[in-house]
Amino acid sequence: MVMQSRQSGFTLIETMVMLGIVGTLSAMAIIQIGQSAQQMRADGAMRVVMGQLNTARELAISQRRYMQVQFTAPNRIRVIRTDVNTSGNVTGTTLLSEAFFEGGVTYNRAASIPDTPDAFSGSSSINFGTATTIQFSTDGSMIDQSGNPLNGWVAMAMPNIVNSSRAVTVFGSTGRVRAYRWNGSSWVRV
């Protein structure tokens, strides 16, 4: 008597169905990853601004020196210490920190997006009123060149991608830094 062995495996139809399912799920994942990558790049830029502002504030307090913050288009932020001698006279400046946004994020404000709940925006992507110098004082407050408390905001986004909009606000009298993310319909505090 001859025994026939039964071979196990997948039929061609079963294999094709599995490939179709895997292909569909992969396509959905690729689309989702692309959108998430844009959001992560925008979040990264927001964190760079927050980090530099918080660093400047903390250095101003700990070193008892004024710390200027410079925002340079399209994507650079610098922290500069004002150096003084023992008599209190300004002797120069020292660049302490410089950072750039990555992934195509720039200082950018979409005209269709309203102001943050802090209401500091004005019409530009960097708005600290008429200040020519933006700096943290030794008590941690943000002030202008005349020593007046200075509220302001910095907006950043990837060009032509409204949902990548992020904003960082600063309360002048306390130096408090807040971050916001645009969710498509409103600002959400981070």
Side-chain angles (χ1 to χ4, degrees):
M1 183 182 236
V2 177
M3 302 265 299
Q4 291 184 331
S5 68
R6 185 162 188 225
Q7 293 183 354
S8 63
F10 296 106
T11 65
L12 181 58
I13 293 175
E14 291 170 329
T15 303
M16 295 301 286
V17 167
M18 276 307 293
L19 287 175
I21 291 170
V22 168
T24 302
L25 292 175
S26 297
M28 291 182 347
I30 288 170
I31 291 169
Q32 201 64 10
I33 288 171
Q35 292 172 351
S36 295
Q38 292 172 348
Q39 300 300 318
M40 290 187 315
R41 283 187 220 122
D43 283 346
M46 175 185 64
R47 283 177 178 48
V48 165
V49 171
M50 287 179 58
Q52 292 295 305
L53 289 171
N54 285 323
T55 297
R57 182 177 185 274
E58 293 303 317
L59 287 172
I61 294 169
S62 67
Q63 294 184 8
R64 307 292 296 157
R65 299 285 182 265
Y66 287 95
M67 298 291 166
Q68 282 186 29
V69 181
Q70 295 178 346
F71 303 97
T72 308
N75 64 349
R76 181 171 73 172
I77 183 171
R78 301 170 80 191
V79 175
I80 300 169
R81 180 181 62 218
T82 302
D83 298 323
V84 294
N85 61 19
T86 55
S87 304
N89 298 321
V90 174
T91 59
T93 60
T94 302
L95 176 65
L96 298 180
S97 177
E98 182 174 43
F100 296 87
F101 307 153
E102 297 178 352
V105 180
T106 61
Y107 295 116
N108 191 347
R109 179 184 186 195
S112 61
I113 295 179
D115 199 354
T116 64
D118 296 335
F120 298 153
S121 76
S123 61
S124 64
S125 58
I126 301 168
N127 184 23
F128 289 90
T130 59
T132 56
T133 302
I134 302 163
Q135 58 191 351
F136 284 97
S137 69
T138 57
D139 67 359
S141 61
M142 180 172 266
I143 59 174
D144 65 10
Q145 64 280 356
S146 301
N148 300 315
L150 186 62
N151 298 328
W153 99 319
V154 179
M156 63 228 68
M158 297 175 76
N160 303 317
I161 303 175
V162 174
N163 284 344
S164 70
S165 295
R166 303 292 184 267
V168 175
T169 62
V170 183
F171 288 85
S173 59
T174 62
R176 174 183 280 176
V177 177
R178 288 186 177 169
Y180 292 92
R181 178 183 296 129
W182 181 253
N183 71 2
S185 60
S186 65
W187 289 106
V188 177
R189 190 167 164 205
V190 178

